[in-house]
Amino acid sequence: MNFVDQVTVAVEAGDGGDGCISFRHEKFINKGGPDGGDGGDGGNIIFEASTNQDTLANFRYKKLIKAENGSRGGINNRHGKKGKNQIILVPVGTLIYHQDQLLVDLTLNHQKQIIAKGGQGGFGNAHFISSTRQAPKFAEKGLKGQKLELKLELKMIADVGLIGLPNVGKSSLIRRISQARPKIADYPFTTLKPSLGMMDFRGLAILVADIPGLIAGASCGKGLGFDFLRHIERTKILAHIIDITSLSPVDDYLTIRHELENYQISLKNKPEIIVFNKIDLLDQLEVDQIIKNFKKQLKNQSLILKISTQSLFGLDDFKGLIYQEINKINQLQPDIEPTKETIKIINFDHLNNQTDRKFIVKKIAKNVFKVTGQDLENLVNKTDFNNSEAINRLHNLLIKRGLVNELKKQGAKEDSLIYLADHKIDFLF
Ligand SMILES: Nc1nc2c(ncn2[C@@H]2O[C@H](COP(=O)(O)OP(=O)(O)OP(=O)(O)O)[C@@H](O)[C@H]2O)c(=O)[nH]1
Ligand SMILES: [Mg+2]
C-alpha cells in the first residue's frame, strides 16, 4: 500500500444557456412587448471528500468529467433550467492541483469545494427593455463553463503513526498488527519510506503508518525523516516507540519530541501513546523500574504501554488502547455535515470575480492591441455577432467602460487590430 496515488483528470463545468429573443403574441395586441427569458446557468464541478472512497483508481479510466449545461431561455419570460452540478467523490486526503498550484486539500469527510464554475446564462431580450429601447431584438449568449486540467493526489491519512528512533522495532510492530510487510533488520534506517497497514479491531479498520526512523536534526533535513514529518502531521494519534534496552529512554523520547515540535507546533497537541518495546530482553523488575524512572523524570501524562514484538506480550493491549483513543477522537471531531456552507469558491485566476471591471490594454505588435479583463471578456463572449443590435450594445458598453479612451491613449487608430477574448473587434471611435 502506498502513501501517494496520483492521477490527472479534465473537468468541464456546464455552459450557460443563451437568452431568448421573443415578442408577445396576444390576440388583439398588434405588437407585443419583448418576452424572451434568460438562459440558465451551467452546472458547477464540485469535489467532495468521502470516507466511502479509498482510491483514485476510478479516474484512471474516466479522463473527462462534465457538468450539465444550462438550458436556453424561453418565450413568455421563461427562465432556462440551471445545469445540474456534478459532484465528484474522492477519498479523504485528496489534494487537487491546477498547473502545480494547490487548489484545495480535502481532509474532512463531506468537505466540498467548487473547482470549476458553470457559465452564466445570457439575458433574454426582455431584460433589455428601457425607455429608449422598447423592442430590443437581441439577447445575450450564455458563457462557457470553465475547463480545467487537474492533478489529483491522494495522501493517505493514517489514524496512527508509529514513530521513534531507528531500530526500536516500528516495522516489527506493524508486521504483528497488520498485513503490512516492511523489512526488518538489526541496523538503523532499514525502513526507507513509510508503509501503511490496516489493523482490524472489533470491526474498526484502523490505518497504521510505519514511519522511517527519525533522528536529531530530522526537522532540518537530516536523515530520512524530513519528508515523513509531513505524514505524521496528518495522523490522529502518535504511538511513540522506545527501545527499553536503550541507555537513556528519556533522551530518546525527548530527541523525537524536539524534532516534531521543531517541525510543526500543532504536533504538540496530538494525542500520544508511549510504547516500550523489546521488554523480552530484560526481566520484569528492570522493565518496571525503567518505566517508573521515565515517568518520574518527565512528569508525562501520556499513556504508557510495554510490549514485545518478539514474545507478542502487550500487543492486544496496544490494539485495545489505540481503538479506545481513536473512538474518543472520532466522537470529539465529528465530520463536517454536508451543508451548503462548506462549499466555498476559491479565489484564483480562473475564478475571477466577474464584477471586477478592471482591464488591461497591451500593445503586442505594431498597430496590434490585446485587451484582457474578465468583465470585458464576458461582455464579448455574451455577444451574438450575427446580430447588429447586439453588436451596437457591445460597442456602447465598451465606450462606457472606458476601453475606447484607453485605446486612444495608447495610440490605437481606425485600422488597428484589437483582440479581446479570442475575438477581433473593430476599433470604434
Ligand atoms: N528482542 C527483541 N528484538 C526486537 C523486538 N522488536 C524488534 N526487534 C529487533 O530490533 C531490530 C530492529 O527492528 P525494526 O522493526 O527493523 O526496527 P525499526 O524501528 O523499524 O527500524 P528502522 O526502520 O531502521 O527505523 C530487528 O533486529 C528486530 O528483530 C522485540 O520486541 N524484542
Ligand atoms: Mg523499520
Side-chain angles (χ1 to χ4, degrees), residues 276-294:
F276 283 94
N277 186 30
K278 308 194 188 180
I279 62 158
D280 57 287
L281 295 174
L282 302 177
D283 68 45
Q284 178 97 31
L285 282 176
E286 263 180 303
V287 167
D288 290 342
Q289 191 57 46
I290 291 169
I291 294 177
K292 205 171 145 197
N293 288 344
F294 182 88

Side-chain angles (χ1 to χ4, degrees), residues 167 169-172 182-185 189-192 210-213:
N167 225 27
K170 301 178 294 296
S171 300
S172 306
K183 193 174 150 193
I184 294 174
F189 301 122
T190 312
T191 306
L192 300 176
D210 170 19
I211 316 272

